[in-house]
Amino acid sequence: MWRSRARALLLCSSIPRTPTLQPPPHPTRTLSRAPPPRFLSRFLASSPDPIPDATSSSADPFPDAASSFADPFPEASSSPTAAATDDAAEAGEDSLSSMWEEAGDADDIFATTGGADAVADEEEVARVCAVVEATPEDKIASTLADMVVDFNEPLLAAVLLAAEKCSCKKLISLFNYAAKNNPAAKSLSNLEILVGKVADSDEIDKMDAYLLWDSIKETGSVPGSVSTPLLNEMIAIFWKLEKSKAALEVFAKFDEFGCTPDSNSYYLAIEAARKKSMFRSACEVCEKMIGSGCFPNGEKISRILTFLCEGKKVKAAHSLYLAAKEKKIQIPKSALDFLVSASARNDEAVGTALELLEEYQGESLKHAGKSFATVVHALCRTNKLEEANNLLTRMVQLEEYQGDSLKNAGNTFATVIHGLCRKKKLEDAKTLLLKMVDLGPAPGKAVFNSVITALSKQGEMEDAKGLLRLMESEGVSPDIYTYSVLMSGYTKGGMIDEAHALLREAKKIHPKLNRISYHILIRGYCKMEEFEKAIECLKEMRKDGLQPNLDEYDKLIQSLCLKAMDWRRAEKLLEEMEDNGLCLKGISRSLITAVKELEEEEMQSKASQQA
């Protein structure tokens, strides 16, 4: 048998050969397999091109057809004349036998190399799709079992791509059934198609996502059966559904599945954690990202930094910033502003905020005034006033604060001055105030009052009153508080007349004063034991339309009883109080009675002595 076939081959090789023609198209229409989908185009700005249509390829469905029909004996077929036939016939049966053994089995020679696995019958695809679309979700497996379908890899791929009207649950059930009956169908490319279809669906719900994840976990037990892009897509699906814990579970499976997280993996996991404000989990993912040295672009780093700062994870945010900077990733200035602000709000990270100001260089430094001001306020809050004052000096030299724009720094100046006054660094406070007067920004009433108050408390009344006059010359009208503070300082220093003079001056500017100014004078006169003037001040208060309250009466009555032992005027004031509807404290009332009884006992004692 084999000898007759060999002779036929030799006879054929002696005939001049015409060029090999392409075989006619297969009589049955076929659906070529589409390339696997590209991932995360729905979630990442840097997504690749969309998935090409499975039927859009214009390539020949039989790309190896020509080579399949090629002559297996190229040397024999190259003979140009019939003389080669005679030479080959003389070789005898022995040479034919040896040549046949070298060429291999005849069945192998005539076999074609075109694989059936590369295509799927379109009619079969349509039949399966129709059945799946018409079958309820919970009966997909039983219905497919009743069909005679060989779910090989290309058929499953074609069905998944062609099933446009199937729910996510149906697609997942279809995949699971096919994979169970033919493990070869459970390929990475088919799993990628399934995940892409589910992710693209507008009707996906959490149950679909969990079913899909269960299928991936079952498939992932085989090494190389899942990929990093596929897991990234799964994280993105859970992120979309706001299932942060599930997304983080997917991220935790990378090592188990033999996959290496890329920059998208870290970014998606952190964004998923952001959905539920899972700051601790985000920090853990961020730490792994820093360790891997695999970072997303600057815009995404900016979002991560902002999220960490919102959760007061300043230390983690700072570490990420430094690591990204080391990788020369360009981070937007807004992210640096946010990081500086967040660090400044944390008392333990104020030093970090001060260091970060050095990151402003070139163009960004021209508009870094807000960050500088934030750090100045933080330094004042933490009583680092010398550093705050020095930084303020640097701040006003920025281009942002040149010219008329310097007025925008007024609040920062005020903060530093308040801090200096609080720490009793009065000379520095006064110097900075005078600098504001000379160079700007123009100080307001609150700044003047702050320094005047601090000077008055320290008894430096001459400097305090000098600032009052400077305040007036700058067009800033002193308020009642300004006068009251100065009056209190004079009263404590025993200069009660100067205090009363300020009261009369204040009445010219403010026709109606508050009771604090009178209260200061009444207490001052009582302290100086000038009770007549204290009572006159009480009358003046009523004359100016202010009714004395319990505090004024109580202070005056106690002073009359304890210092002047004058229970008669105290009793008269008590009657006046009661007429005005005020009720004296029981202690002060008892004090009047006690002084009165003491005087009577003293008089009786003197009378008995005279008798």
Side-chain angles (χ1 to χ4, degrees):
M1 178 65 183
W2 65 269
R3 293 181 180 179
S4 61
R5 294 178 67 180
R7 289 192 186 97
L9 284 173
L10 290 175
L11 288 173
C12 291
S13 64
S14 65
I15 301 173
R17 304 174 67 91
T18 58
T20 304
L21 298 176
Q22 287 281 49
H26 198 278
T28 304
R29 291 185 301 168
T30 59
L31 184 64
S32 60
R33 180 177 173 183
R38 289 239 173 124
F39 287 95
L40 302 181
S41 60
R42 292 156 297 281
F43 303 97
L44 302 175
S46 58
S47 61
D49 297 333
I51 302 171
D53 184 30
T55 60
S56 63
S57 176
S58 60
D60 192 343
F62 298 90
D64 298 325
S67 62
S68 301
F69 289 92
D71 195 335
F73 302 102
E75 294 180 358
S77 63
S78 62
S79 300
T81 64
T85 306
D86 297 333
D87 295 338
E90 295 174 357
E93 294 180 356
D94 294 337
S95 59
L96 285 172
S97 176
S98 60
M99 182 176 65
W100 190 261
E101 291 173 356
E102 291 176 1
D105 186 71
D107 294 333
D108 294 335
I109 295 174
F110 292 98
T112 61
T113 59
D117 290 342
V119 295
D121 191 311
E122 192 176 56
E123 293 180 358
E124 184 73 358
V125 172
R127 184 171 75 93
V128 175
C129 284
V131 171
V132 173
E133 291 175 357
T135 303
E137 294 176 346
D138 57 344
K139 295 183 179 180
I140 293 292
S142 59
T143 302
L144 291 175
D146 295 337
M147 297 177 64
V148 182
V149 182
D150 179 17
F151 272 110
N152 54 29
E153 182 182 357
L155 177 60
L156 178 59
V159 173
L160 288 173
L161 289 170
E164 297 294 338
K165 299 180 180 179
C166 290
S167 65
C168 297
K169 190 171 296 183
K170 286 185 178 182
L171 293 175
I172 297 169
S173 299
L174 170 65
F175 178 86
N176 290 338
Y177 175 82
K180 181 179 179 181
N181 286 270
N182 185 0
K186 189 170 54 176
S187 64
L188 174 59
S189 58
N190 281 349
L191 189 58
E192 288 175 343
I193 293 173
L194 174 65
V195 173
K197 293 279 287 188
V198 173
D200 284 336
S201 175
D202 295 330
E203 300 177 357
I204 183 175
D205 59 24
K206 63 179 181 179
M207 294 306 300
D208 297 333
Y210 285 124
L211 284 173
L212 179 60
W213 176 227
D214 288 340
S215 299
I216 293 174
K217 286 189 288 186
E218 183 178 352
T219 306
S221 59
V222 180
S225 57
V226 296
S227 64
T228 294
L230 186 144
L231 293 178
N232 289 350
E233 186 85 358
M234 200 66 234
I235 296 174
I237 290 173
F238 282 124
W239 169 26
K240 175 183 177 181
L241 296 172
E242 298 186 5
K243 296 299 176 182
S244 301
K245 290 184 178 180
L248 293 173
E249 180 190 347
V250 177
F251 179 79
K253 288 285 186 179
F254 271 82
D255 291 339
E256 182 179 332
F257 292 159
C259 299
T260 302
D262 59 13
S263 60
N264 286 335
S265 308
Y266 295 113
Y267 174 69
L268 288 169
I270 294 173
E271 283 295 317
R274 183 176 192 163
K275 283 285 187 179
K276 298 295 183 180
S277 299
M278 300 173 67
F279 296 104
R280 181 179 297 179
S281 298
C283 288
E284 293 174 356
V285 177
C286 188
E287 185 177 349
K288 292 179 180 179
M289 179 174 65
I290 294 173
S292 71
C294 191
F295 298 94
N297 60 37
E299 290 294 335
K300 294 174 182 176
I301 290 288
S302 175
R303 282 182 57 85
I304 296 173
L305 288 173
T306 302
F307 169 58
L308 293 175
C309 291
E310 288 173 349
K312 300 181 181 180
K313 302 296 182 182
V314 179
K315 186 176 180 180
H318 185 226
S319 298
L320 175 59
Y321 177 84
L322 294 179
K325 178 186 174 186
E326 187 177 347
K327 290 288 184 179
K328 302 188 183 303
I329 298 175
Q330 295 295 325
I331 300 176
K333 175 181 172 293
S334 59
L336 179 58
D337 294 341
F338 209 96
L339 180 57
V340 171
S341 177
S343 300
R345 289 195 297 269
N346 188 333
D347 289 353
E348 297 179 356
V350 174
T352 299
L354 186 60
E355 293 174 3
L356 286 171
L357 292 180
E358 303 303 325
E359 298 295 319
Y360 292 97
Q361 300 291 335
E363 190 68 24
S364 65
L365 184 61
K366 296 180 180 179
H367 305 286
K370 185 176 180 180
S371 296
F372 273 75
T374 301
V375 179
V376 170
H377 285 271
L379 291 170
C380 291
R381 188 184 68 247
T382 54
N383 294 324
K384 298 178 181 179
L385 296 168
E386 185 176 353
E387 292 175 309
N389 203 359
N390 294 335
L391 185 60
L392 177 63
T393 303
R394 285 181 56 194
M395 188 187 83
V396 296
Q397 295 174 356
L398 298 177
E399 183 175 328
E400 185 176 351
Y401 290 111
Q402 299 304 308
D404 294 339
S405 298
L406 186 60
K407 63 183 179 182
N408 298 328
N411 190 33
T412 308
F413 272 90
T415 300
V416 176
I417 290 175
H418 289 319
L420 293 171
C421 291
R422 188 177 65 251
K423 299 299 290 185
K424 299 181 181 180
K425 296 185 177 183
L426 303 184
E427 285 300 322
D428 292 339
K430 191 167 62 172
T431 300
L432 191 56
L433 174 60
L434 295 176
K435 183 178 180 180
M436 292 180 70
V437 172
D438 294 338
L439 303 176
K445 191 179 299 183
V447 178
F448 275 108
N449 284 345
S450 180
V451 181
I452 290 173
T453 300
L455 291 171
S456 298
K457 288 181 178 179
Q458 294 299 312
E460 299 182 20
M461 299 310 301
E462 184 176 350
D463 289 342
K465 193 169 184 178
L467 287 180
L468 174 67
R469 301 309 174 203
L470 177 62
M471 187 178 182
E472 293 172 336
S473 66
E474 290 294 315
V476 181
S477 177
D479 56 13
I480 297 175
Y481 176 83
T482 311
Y483 286 106
S484 298
V485 166
L486 285 168
M487 289 169 59
S488 178
Y490 278 122
T491 301
K492 289 180 180 178
M495 296 178 283
I496 190 67
D497 293 335
E498 286 81 352
H500 209 148
L502 278 174
L503 177 66
R504 289 189 286 269
E505 180 180 331
K507 290 169 68 175
K508 296 177 182 178
I509 302 174
H510 305 282
K512 188 173 183 180
L513 301 179
N514 58 26
R515 65 179 64 256
I516 295 176
S517 303
Y518 294 98
H519 186 79
I520 291 171
L521 284 180
I522 292 172
R523 295 178 72 91
Y525 281 122
C526 289
K527 181 180 179 181
M528 300 295 295
E529 299 186 8
E530 298 183 17
F531 302 112
E532 289 293 337
K533 291 184 178 181
I535 293 174
E536 289 296 324
C537 189
L538 196 66
K539 293 178 181 179
E540 184 179 354
M541 184 178 182
R542 285 197 296 268
K543 183 179 178 181
D544 291 336
L546 293 173
Q547 182 64 35
N549 61 14
L550 181 62
D551 290 335
E552 283 86 31
Y553 279 111
D554 188 61
K555 179 62 180 177
L556 193 50
I557 289 174
Q558 287 188 20
S559 298
L560 287 170
C561 291
L562 296 175
K563 295 182 178 181
M565 304 296 288
D566 190 349
W567 62 268
R568 292 176 178 82
R569 281 193 288 186
E571 195 171 53
K572 188 175 181 180
L573 289 174
L574 176 60
E575 293 174 358
E576 185 178 310
M577 282 182 64
E578 292 175 344
D579 291 341
N580 293 326
L582 299 175
C583 183
L584 187 63
K585 296 178 181 179
I587 297 177
S588 299
R589 188 184 297 272
S590 300
L591 189 59
I592 297 174
T593 304
V595 173
K596 183 178 180 180
E597 292 176 352
L598 185 61
E599 183 179 320
E600 291 176 353
E601 290 177 1
E602 186 178 352
M603 291 177 63
Q604 291 177 0
S605 176
K606 288 182 180 180
S608 63
Q609 288 178 1
Q610 292 178 358

